[in-house]
Amino acid sequence: MSHQTVIVLDFGGQYNQLIARRVREQGVYCEVRPYTTPVASLKALRPIGIIFTGGPGSVYDPAAPQADPELFRLGVPILGICYGCQLLAQNLGGRVAPAQGGAAREYGKTETFFDTDCRLFRGLPAGSATWMSHGDYMEKVPEGFRLTARSAACPNVAISDEARGFYGVQFHPEVNHTEHGAAIIRNFLYEVCGARGGWTMGDYKETAVRRLREKIGDGKVLLALSGGVDSSVAAALLAEAVGRQLTCVFVDHGLMRLREGDEVEAAFSGRDVRFIRVNAAERFLSRLSGVTEPESKRKIIGEEFIRVFEAEAKKIGRVDYLAQGTIYPDVIESGAGDAAVIKSHHNVGGLPGCVDFKEIVEPLRLLFKDEVRALGRELGLPEHLVSRQPFPGPGLAIRCVGEVTGEKLDMLRRADFIFRDEIARAGLAGSMDQYFAVLTNMRSVGVMGDGRTYDYALALRSVTTSDFMTADWARIPYEVLDRVSVRVVNEVPHINRVLYDITSKPPATIEYE
Ligand code: XMP
């Protein structure tokens, strides 16, 4: 198991994990380490290259994170990004200063011109957009380096010392706004560091399993399984690592979509783990009886979830580790913005306090969503689980406007299934990010056969979005909408009208409650 390693040395930049992800995408193994890591420990990893990340400080501020000068004597290629580029310059004899009068200070997409003789920029067009975000600039280029990129505002956008394998770029190649960012990172890995590539998610799995075994030893692990992608993949990974030392508690609140509870159970029944499914549908339904206010519904479900889980955990007794399927976007979001509030509220965020355990393990903490899905496939989880679209913790309760009853849930489940089925048949699943049915609380008059009906209206919601903070409604072809409508009113009793939601977010939200 000798894979080549690249170290991403973290100087506090906001994109450090994104850089790691870009390296992994190129088939190279990568570890993110804080800049305070002793050089001897970094050396022990035998890196083929080191990437210095950006950071919020100014390199000339004595309090700002500094690079150990020993790093430059390892004989290992270094790529400095933004702050990392300035560190490189300052350490090797250049000078960094505040950009004056906006002359060389840049923020946002910037047309940049490259010297394509430089190994880092090989194969790139002479000019393309890069993403800049810096208030300091390299006033003096260090000796032995040459300038290899410029923009209109700044002559010193990139530097290189090809003999020593030192490269610095002021812009961020890791973000999508930099048009040829992936090619630049690829060039660093393959042209400069001599990477062989070939590292895959299967290798990631092996490393993760080995590390989990080392950490957990013969300890007991408890995991709250929601049936969502993240907790399912975390469970499958832990199952592979520690088998029956793991207990998964799946609280089935009865608010899942058609057959979903059984599917989750089936995905874990063949594995050598302790799997407990708590069928708590009636308990949730009775607590929700008569409740119509959306926030109250959410709160009741969140609290009840913890109570049910707590009761199961008590039966198990003390555990050593509580496992969670936290993924990297959750880590970034926590503490800021709407998403954090949503997550802390419903993704079993209140759990740690109610279980007696020693430590939390979060084996997916450094992965992005699509990497988690890829890992799930490696672990043999079924595709329907791995490619599952986001599903809110409170489940169908917040897609059933007004009071939640067993009958309404049943109607909604069947209608939602038809909608998803028709989307799949039309081959449209990949073109939208979330799609589902909502049972409105509106009833209206219709005619069926010779009789008058007075039944529910179903709303179909489908959106495209990249971050779920804003979203556009999906342009589903009329023929597909027509098939869904015909099937729903024919196959689901007490729905006599189907509406398609054409509101974007904002002003509407994706969910209805
Ligand atoms: P909204 O309705 O706020 O939804 O536009 C944005 C995204 O968040 C999901 N969502 C939730 N996810 N627990 C979750 O884990 C929740 O309580 C919750 N509420 C909304 C929603 O499905 C959409 O993807």
Side-chain angles (χ1 to χ4, degrees), residues 228-405:
V229 181
D230 306 342
S231 66
S232 299
V233 174
L237 185 62
L238 280 153
E240 182 114 350
V242 297
R244 295 189 70 76
Q245 289 161 250
L246 170 70
T247 305
C248 297
V249 175
F250 168 44
V251 176
D252 185 350
H253 51 21
L255 304 166
M256 311 269 284
R257 293 170 295 186
L258 197 69
R259 295 197 280 272
E260 225 164 21
D262 296 341
E263 285 172 1
V264 173
E265 186 167 352
F268 288 91
S269 62
R271 289 169 201 263
D272 192 23
V273 290
R274 293 173 200 278
F275 181 90
I276 299 169
R277 175 175 180 176
V278 191
N279 287 313
E282 282 184 16
R283 190 173 165 161
F284 277 85
L285 214 51
S286 77
R287 286 276 283 119
L288 287 169
S289 165
V291 183
T292 54
E293 205 277 313
E295 278 310 301
S296 307
K297 283 160 82 172
R298 285 172 168 275
K299 210 159 158 244
I300 288 169
I301 295 165
E303 281 170 9
E304 204 58 17
F305 192 96
I306 291 174
R307 239 170 258 152
V308 175
F309 186 81
E310 193 170 29
E312 285 309 311
K314 277 211 181 100
K315 290 185 205 160
I316 296 163
R318 188 182 157 79
V319 294
D320 302 287
Y321 298 95
L322 183 79
Q324 289 191 327
T326 316
I327 70 169
Y328 188 63
D330 303 335
V331 179
I332 324 176
E333 282 165 5
S334 62
D338 275 358
V341 176
I342 287 169
K343 296 274 176 185
S344 65
H345 226 81
H346 299 282
N347 275 8
V348 290
L351 281 182
C354 79
V355 186
D356 189 15
F357 66 98
K358 216 166 61 187
E359 215 183 308
I360 291 189
V361 279
E362 295 176 315
L364 311 178
R365 207 181 155 77
L366 299 180
L367 298 185
F368 289 80
K369 194 80 178 188
D370 54 336
E371 293 181 307
V372 172
R373 293 190 207 275
L375 180 58
R377 289 186 188 102
E378 284 296 331
L379 288 158
L381 284 173
E383 189 57 33
H384 62 78
L385 237 174
V386 165
S387 58
R388 207 172 179 249
Q389 45 171 314
F391 187 63
L396 297 183
I398 58 166
R399 294 179 181 170
C400 196
V401 180
E403 189 184 2
V404 181
T405 65

Side-chain angles (χ1 to χ4, degrees), residues 85 114 120-121 138 146-150 155-160 168-171:
C85 169
F114 301 100
L120 202 57
F121 305 129
M138 282 178 289
R146 66 189 182 94
L147 286 169
T148 50
R150 65 181 167 82
N156 308 350
V157 167
I159 52 171
S160 77
V169 292
Q170 271 301 334
F171 57 87

Side-chain angles (χ1 to χ4, degrees), residues 298 342-343 346-347 390-394 398-399 434 436 468 505 508-513:
R298 285 172 168 275
I342 287 169
K343 296 274 176 185
H346 299 282
N347 275 8
F391 187 63
I398 58 166
R399 294 179 181 170
Q434 202 172 6
F436 52 87
F468 295 89
K505 171 185 179 177
T509 50
I510 297 173
E511 303 287 350
Y512 273 41
E513 291 195 328

Side-chain angles (χ1 to χ4, degrees), residues 197-253:
W199 180 86
T200 64
M201 220 46 197
D203 298 315
Y204 182 93
K205 183 188 86 177
E206 277 179 31
T207 309
V209 164
R210 183 164 40 85
R211 291 205 173 153
L212 283 169
R213 282 187 186 142
E214 281 163 14
K215 182 179 175 111
I216 294 166
D218 57 4
K220 282 209 290 183
V221 189
L222 178 65
L223 180 135
L225 187 66
S226 70
V229 181
D230 306 342
S231 66
S232 299
V233 174
L237 185 62
L238 280 153
E240 182 114 350
V242 297
R244 295 189 70 76
Q245 289 161 250
L246 170 70
T247 305
C248 297
V249 175
F250 168 44
V251 176
D252 185 350
H253 51 21

